[in-house]
């Protein structure tokens, strides 16, 4: 398989934050709908405490100053008024104007709501008369000004989402991470002990369904028959079905008194639906022994969920601090619970080489071991003077085992071999790969940037890198291998 070796400068993206609840419903004389208006970047909400002053942002409390009704239409524009009776307005539809609120607004008090063009997702609120600008979280999240002004459309600090009070009120009771795209919460509570079977869809899901049933029996004493899904859900059944209209990692989940139905188009969606079901259960579900005096109930919900971001990643550096195979698998288990799908695995660095390369055995015989380690808590370096790293590496079979384990959890691995800098462990093993083969090298203990880098003008180094990257490409059957490329002083190349 052809590989693409990308020069990446850092971790691409982390897990997604809470997602939008969709386009808001407008209020009428007959029906009023209230919303928190939340900035996607940071999570603060629009707040108007006093009439005739600039609005602010703050933590979502659900107070009258933060709940807004929206009236009007897409043709003439929308008006935003909070429960205190204050309406949003700007003095003019121009960049850098601040957003105010008053009982008797002046200037421009009608706005349009359009989907943002930024990848963060959500909507932008734009003044009537100039849709090239939008309400903007001035200075970004955490800025001390805590105000809202008008700025160019498409900025990441423009995106907002409209949160219904019922969803906000249930955040403490229903803790799903990341928050689903759409969730409707009913008033009923579902008795989970009444379910007697769980039906999986596809062989890939069987392992996870069996593990779920085992864990439920361990912590709750509830026994579920595990079986292959039929064409429709039966009473008393948790049923995984197919909906080909859903995106690859999307799913729907509906909980009822007689049935729990999870639908997806592909394995990833079914797997994520199961993670959401686990998070709906009491936290005692994850216990390693039977828990008494627990109400084994879940809320009545209808969920339609899909990821905002295609890359939801976690990076683990095992060059400095090694994780064995079982520990890495635990990391992957936690990742899938939070619907992460990319594992960036930093496998080599100055402080240790952690991958077996059969053609170059000294990489793990010498390069895995350093004479000490240090911590810099409180800004002071402390050295423990204890050898670290002997035997701390993965064989190629180990790596293949973890690749398979990750695949079964809808996780792709992005392996990193940092080069041509951050290679002290390699040149300590093979000094002939350095720019000065006469020098004595040791696996680095300190952090920071070493000036001892690979001699890229040496054909033996090129052969070495081809060998290493060849094994990595063969072991990790994905599109990308991370080659670091950062912090590489070049003065040794000049001489």
């Amino acid at each position: 398989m052809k590989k693409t070796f990308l020069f990446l400068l850092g971790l691409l993206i982390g897990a997604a934050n809470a997602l939008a609840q969709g386009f808001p419903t407008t209020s009428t004389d007959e029906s009023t709908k209230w919303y928190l208006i939340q900035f996607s970047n940071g999570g603060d909400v629009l707040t108007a405490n006093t009439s005739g002053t600039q609005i602010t942002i703050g933590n979502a409390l659900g107070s009258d100053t933060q709940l807004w009704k929206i009236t009007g239409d897409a043709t003439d524009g929308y008006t935003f008024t909070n429960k205190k009776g204050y309406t949003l307005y700007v003095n003019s539809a121009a960049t850098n104007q601040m957003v105010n609120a008053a009982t008797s607004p002046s200037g421009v008090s009608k706005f349009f709501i359009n989907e943002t063009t930024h990848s963060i997702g959500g909507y932008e609120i734009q003044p009537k008369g100039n849709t090239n600008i939008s309400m903007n979280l001035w200075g970004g999240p955490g800025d001390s000004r805590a105000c809202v002004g008008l700025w160019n459309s498409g900025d990441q600090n423009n995106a907002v989402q409209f949160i219904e009070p019922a969803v906000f009120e249930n955040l403490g009771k229903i803790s799903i991470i990341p928050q689903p795209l759409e969730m409707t919460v009913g008033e009923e509570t579902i008795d989970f002990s009444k379910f007697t079977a769980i039906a999986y869809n596809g062989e890939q899901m069987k392992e996870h369904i069996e593990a779920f049933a085992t864990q439920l029996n361990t912590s709750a004493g509830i026994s579920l028959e595990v079986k292959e899904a039929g064409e429709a859900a039966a009473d008393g059944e948790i049923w995984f079905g197919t909906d080909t209209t859903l995106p690859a990692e999307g799913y729907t989940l509906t909980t009822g008194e007689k049935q729990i139905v999870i639908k997806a188009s592909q394995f990833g969606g079914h797997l994520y639906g199961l993670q959401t079901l686990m998070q709906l259960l009491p936290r005692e579900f994850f216990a390693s022994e039977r828990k008494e005096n627990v109400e084994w109930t879940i809320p009545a919900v209808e969920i339609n969920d899909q990821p905002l971001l295609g890359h939801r990643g976690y990076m683990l550096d095992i060059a400095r601090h090694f994780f064995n195979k079982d520990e890495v698998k635990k990391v992957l288990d936690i990742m899938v619970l939070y619907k992460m799908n990319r594992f960036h695995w930093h496998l080599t660095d100055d402080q240790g080489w952690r991958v077996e390369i059969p053609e170059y055995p000294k990489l793990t015989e010498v390069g895995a071991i350093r004479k000490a380690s240090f911590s810099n808590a409180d800004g002071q370096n402390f050295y423990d003077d204890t050898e670290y790293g002997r035997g701390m590496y993965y064989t190629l079979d180990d790596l293949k085992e973890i690749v398979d384990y990750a695949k079964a959890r809808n996780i792709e691995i992005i392996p990193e071999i940092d080069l041509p800098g951050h290679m002290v462990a390699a040149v300590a093993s093979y000094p002939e790969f350095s720019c000065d083969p006469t020098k004595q090298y040791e696996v680095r203990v300190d952090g920071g940037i070493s000036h001892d880098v690979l001699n890229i003008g040496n054909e033996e180094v090129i052969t070495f890198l081809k060998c290493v990257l060849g094994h990595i490409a063969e072991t990790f059957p994905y599109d990308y291998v991370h080659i670091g490329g950062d912090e590489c002083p070049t003065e040794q190349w000049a001489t």
Side-chain angles (χ1 to χ4, degrees):
M1 180 185 296
K2 183 179 179 180
K3 296 288 173 178
T4 302
F5 295 94
L6 285 188
F7 186 98
L8 300 179
L9 297 180
L11 186 61
L12 297 180
I13 354 178
N17 290 325
L19 305 182
Q21 296 295 305
F23 196 90
T25 301
T26 55
S27 293
T28 64
D29 292 340
E30 293 76 28
S31 176
T32 301
K33 192 86 169 179
W34 297 101
Y35 292 95
L36 291 162
I37 302 176
Q38 182 184 53
F39 280 102
S40 299
N41 192 11
D44 286 328
V45 300
L46 294 186
T47 305
N49 292 303
T50 308
S51 177
T53 60
Q54 293 179 11
I55 65 170
T56 61
I57 58 169
N59 293 331
L61 301 174
S63 64
D64 289 354
T65 63
Q66 297 179 339
L67 291 172
W68 301 85
K69 68 177 180 180
I70 302 163
T71 55
D73 55 54
T75 302
D76 192 45
Y78 299 98
T79 300
F80 296 77
T81 305
N82 70 5
K83 277 194 170 185
K84 299 282 286 185
Y86 306 150
T87 298
L88 297 181
Y89 72 96
V90 290
N91 290 325
S92 67
T95 305
N96 294 324
Q97 288 291 307
M98 306 311 295
V99 182
N100 309 295
T103 52
S104 301
S106 58
V108 180
S109 60
K110 288 192 175 182
F111 301 84
F112 293 112
I113 304 171
N114 292 308
E115 287 191 30
T116 182
T117 59
H118 196 277
S119 61
I120 197 170
Y123 298 88
E124 298 193 23
I125 301 174
Q126 301 169 324
K128 185 176 180 179
N130 188 355
T131 55
N132 291 319
I133 58 177
S134 305
M135 288 191 195
N136 178 277
L137 177 58
W138 218 246
D143 189 277
S144 60
R145 287 171 288 184
C147 57
V148 179
L150 297 181
W151 190 245
N152 299 331
S153 62
D155 188 88
Q156 67 175 349
N157 293 320
N158 297 346
V160 299
Q161 52 193 357
F162 300 91
I163 308 296
E164 297 181 32
V167 174
F168 169 73
E169 290 164 3
N170 277 292
L171 288 179
K173 304 172 187 175
I174 303 176
S175 299
I176 301 172
I177 302 173
Q179 183 178 325
L181 174 66
E182 296 175 357
M183 179 171 64
T184 301
V185 183
E187 296 181 359
E188 314 89 64
T189 298
I190 310 301
D191 184 352
F192 209 78
S193 65
K194 292 183 177 179
F195 290 90
T196 58
I198 184 166
Y200 62 88
N201 186 309
E203 285 298 313
Q204 279 184 291
M205 278 299 295
K206 185 178 180 182
E207 169 193 352
H208 300 285
I209 295 302
E210 289 175 338
F212 173 85
T214 298
Q215 181 60 37
L216 184 68
N217 187 258
T218 297
S219 58
I222 298 172
S223 179
L224 295 177
E225 176 191 359
V226 176
K227 60 182 183 179
E228 192 170 359
E231 292 186 1
D235 287 349
E237 189 173 83
I238 304 164
W239 181 79
F240 287 76
T242 300
D243 182 347
T244 58
T245 66
L246 293 171
E249 295 181 306
Y251 67 92
T252 60
L253 186 155
T254 303
T255 62
E257 291 185 0
K258 295 183 178 180
Q259 301 169 350
I260 295 174
V261 174
I262 299 173
K263 292 183 179 181
S265 64
Q266 296 185 27
F267 165 67
H270 282 129
L271 184 62
Y272 292 156
L274 178 62
Q275 308 312 307
T276 294
L277 180 62
M278 289 193 290
Q279 291 189 26
L280 288 172
L281 284 162
R283 68 185 65 185
E284 288 84 359
F285 167 78
F286 297 96
S288 58
E289 59 186 9
R290 178 73 177 272
K291 290 295 181 181
E292 305 293 343
N293 302 317
V294 177
E295 292 186 10
W296 292 101
T297 61
I298 60 173
V301 294
E302 292 184 11
I303 292 173
N304 178 20
D305 193 17
Q306 66 184 71
L308 170 64
L309 302 172
H311 180 126
R312 305 178 303 282
Y314 177 88
M315 194 274 278
L316 180 65
D317 177 352
I318 50 78
R320 280 90 171 194
H321 185 88
F322 186 71
F323 280 47
N324 64 34
K325 269 194 312 183
D326 291 336
E327 290 168 334
V328 172
K329 289 177 179 179
K330 288 180 181 178
V331 170
L332 296 171
D333 288 337
I334 294 171
M335 284 179 63
V336 71
L337 180 63
Y338 296 114
K339 304 180 179 72
M340 296 183 184
N341 66 351
R342 296 293 187 274
F343 179 49
H344 178 162
W345 205 1
H346 189 79
L347 294 168
T348 65
D349 215 301
D350 293 333
Q351 291 77 17
W353 186 282
R354 307 293 174 206
V355 182
E356 172 199 39
I357 303 297
E359 293 85 347
Y360 297 92
K362 290 182 182 179
L363 289 172
T364 49
E365 294 170 358
V366 176
I369 305 164
R370 60 179 182 260
K371 65 182 181 182
S373 296
F374 84 99
S375 66
N376 59 351
D378 302 321
Q380 300 294 320
N381 287 358
F382 171 77
Y383 295 86
D384 64 11
D385 295 327
T386 301
E387 180 189 278
Y388 184 87
R390 189 173 296 274
M392 295 182 183
Y393 65 91
Y394 308 107
T395 67
L396 294 177
D397 286 339
D398 290 337
L399 296 178
K400 291 173 183 176
E401 179 182 334
I402 294 173
V403 165
D404 290 340
Y405 194 87
K407 274 186 177 180
R409 283 147 187 80
N410 197 49
I411 295 170
E412 292 188 9
I413 300 177
I414 301 173
E416 180 179 358
I417 304 294
D418 205 344
L419 62 95
H422 288 274
M423 274 278 173
V424 173
V427 300
S429 306
Y430 295 93
E432 60 268 32
F433 295 160
S434 72
C435 295
D436 182 3
T438 66
K439 182 179 175 180
Q440 186 72 28
Y441 298 95
E442 291 184 339
V443 177
R444 190 174 174 88
V445 173
D446 280 328
I449 301 171
S450 172
H451 290 253
D452 295 321
V453 300
L454 291 177
N455 180 2
I456 59 173
N458 183 344
E459 281 299 322
E460 290 186 9
V461 171
I462 303 303
T463 300
F464 163 69
L465 292 177
K466 285 181 178 179
C467 178
V468 171
L469 294 176
H471 280 297
I472 294 300
E474 184 178 344
T475 303
F476 295 92
Y478 305 111
D479 292 333
Y480 303 112
V481 171
H482 195 309
I483 59 171
D486 63 322
E487 300 176 335
C488 181
T490 60
E491 73 271 9
Q492 289 189 359
W493 293 346
T495 59

